[in-house]
């Protein structure tokens, strides 16, 4: 299982400057199937500059276990954040 891409990433407006919330459409691939579903995630920056990523919504009716999907999404989002590709 791998995350193929995150499409239509949009940043939600918020009043807390150290938490950035995003909504996107996730495309994951496993075996020969592709699943597309909406997801939301946040990137929080602590006082020392460390980033913490949390994935909020993943549909419960996926034909794949939820925890590996969340872990793969976190890793993919971390790479996007390191490359400054998040809006």
């Amino acid at each position: 299982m791998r995350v193929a891409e995150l499409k239509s990433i949009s940043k939600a407006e918020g009043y807390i400057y150290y938490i950035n919330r995003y909504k996107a459409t996730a495309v994951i691939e496993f075996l020969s199937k592709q699943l597309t579903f909406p997801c939301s995630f946040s990137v929080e920056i602590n006082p020392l500059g460390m980033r913490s990523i949390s994935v909020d919504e993943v549909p419960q009716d996926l034909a794949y276990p939820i925890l590996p999907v969340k872990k793969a999404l976190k890793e993919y989002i971390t790479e996007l954040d390191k490359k400054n590709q998040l809006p």
Side-chain angles (χ1 to χ4, degrees):
M1 194 277 307
R2 74 176 193 92
V3 177
E5 66 178 321
L6 284 177
K7 298 191 289 188
S8 306
I9 301 173
S10 63
K11 185 176 180 181
E13 293 296 323
Y15 298 105
I16 301 175
Y17 69 92
Y18 58 88
I19 298 176
N20 297 318
R21 299 188 191 286
Y22 300 93
K23 291 188 178 201
T25 302
V27 179
I28 61 169
E29 296 176 344
F30 66 95
L31 299 175
S32 61
K33 298 179 185 178
Q34 236 185 18
L35 290 177
T36 303
F37 57 90
C39 71
S40 62
F41 58 93
S42 61
V43 179
E44 182 177 352
I45 305 167
N46 72 11
L48 299 175
M50 303 297 291
R51 296 177 184 267
S52 170
I53 297 173
S54 62
V55 177
D56 301 329
E57 299 174 9
V58 176
Q60 299 294 322
D61 60 347
L62 291 178
Y64 201 82
I66 301 294
L67 290 178
V69 171
K70 280 190 165 186
K71 182 180 177 190
L73 282 171
K74 284 182 183 181
E75 291 172 359
Y76 190 82
I77 294 166
T78 301
E79 289 302 315
L80 287 179
D81 190 40
K82 284 181 182 178
K83 295 177 183 176
N84 291 326
Q85 294 179 343
L86 291 175

